[in-house]
Amino acid sequence: MSSFDLSRRLVAEGLGTALLVATVVGSGIMAASLTEDTALALLGNTLATGAILVALITILGPISGAHFNPAVSLIFALSRSLSRRDLIGYVAAQVAGGILGTITAHLMFDHSVLEWSTKVRTGAGQWFAEWVATFGLVATILAGIRFEQKSVPWLVGLYITAAYWFTASTSFANPAVAVARSLTDTFSGIRPADLPGFISAELVGAVSALFLMTWLLRPANPMRIKS
């Protein structure tokens, strides 16, 4: 349990989510301005996102746990590591921070402060991809905490780097980030109308991973092994 009070933890969650989204949106704008090659632009977007996750989780994890993600906060609340009151605060801070991150990226690149995205991201394949992306993220976090806690920043950064490429949705895996990305009509955007499918898939993926990993990570009863 963090020794930091709730106000500091909420600021850490808001700040971390803001910097994460600023990186996702900003690197997408930068990549699209430098090349017309979509694959190369996605690679630039991917590397920046994976790198910032390692940095943010390392420096803010000791304060708030570095969730930066309502789906992650939900699974900690369901496992009773986070109170319901704190969950509400975390989610509010994450969503507000994500929107601030989009605004920050837009101001840096001389875009409108906020703009509705027109980028279509919908369909069964996209929704299933978000389920897979979030399932894998939560499984990585829970197993990382169980076996190699100091490596969690790297594990999450590397997982998201890979998931950008092996999922059809490019692995949003985060409802707060999805909301923030609906407010940018740039490389990383998503239409607001497509948010319900993405967010639903992300939350179901997170809870599915919690159920599986709770069973998978439970040690066998030593007495039963001996008998």
Side-chain angles (χ1 to χ4, degrees):
M1 182 67 68
S2 174
S3 59
F4 291 86
D5 62 29
L6 181 59
S7 62
R8 287 176 172 80
R9 286 186 282 136
L10 294 183
V11 169
E13 284 297 302
L15 175 62
T17 312
L19 290 172
L20 171 60
V21 171
T23 300
V24 172
V25 175
S27 64
I29 296 171
M30 175 68 83
S33 71
L34 294 176
T35 180
E36 295 181 0
D37 186 330
T38 303
L40 187 57
L42 181 61
L43 179 60
N45 197 207
T46 302
L47 294 176
T49 303
I52 199 65
L53 278 168
V54 175
L56 292 175
I57 296 171
T58 299
I59 64 173
L60 297 176
I63 301 174
S64 67
H67 300 177
F68 314 144
N69 185 335
V72 172
S73 296
L74 174 63
I75 62 114
F76 282 113
L78 291 174
S79 61
R80 299 183 180 180
S81 299
L82 188 71
S83 71
R84 290 184 180 180
R85 184 197 67 165
D86 289 2
L87 172 63
I88 294 170
Y90 268 49
V91 172
Q94 291 155 359
V95 173
I99 294 171
L100 179 60
T102 296
I103 293 172
T104 300
H106 282 181
L107 292 177
M108 288 192 292
F109 288 94
D110 295 323
H111 282 247
S112 300
V113 175
L114 290 174
E115 53 199 21
W116 295 115
S117 177
T118 58
K119 190 159 189 175
V120 178
R121 297 181 189 262
T122 190
Q126 292 278 306
W127 301 330
F128 181 58
E130 276 304 286
W131 183 93
V132 171
T134 314
F135 180 95
L137 173 62
V138 170
T140 298
I141 291 169
L142 294 177
I145 291 171
R146 174 71 169 79
F147 298 120
E148 196 65 43
Q149 189 164 1
K150 291 183 179 180
S151 298
V152 168
W154 286 97
L155 293 172
V156 172
L158 289 171
Y159 174 80
I160 291 297
T161 298
Y164 254 73
W165 287 84
F166 81 76
T167 63
S169 61
T170 65
S171 184
F172 284 44
N174 185 328
V177 168
V179 169
R181 290 172 67 166
S182 75
L183 300 173
T184 180
D185 197 20
T186 61
F187 182 81
S188 59
I190 175 175
R191 287 189 313 176
D194 298 334
L195 285 177
F198 265 57
I199 292 173
S200 297
E202 290 158 359
L203 295 176
V204 173
V207 174
S208 300
L210 174 62
F211 279 118
L212 176 64
M213 298 307 288
T214 297
W215 171 80
L216 187 62
L217 298 174
R218 184 181 299 127
N221 188 328
M223 297 303 294
R224 289 187 61 184
I225 294 175
K226 289 179 181 179
S227 62

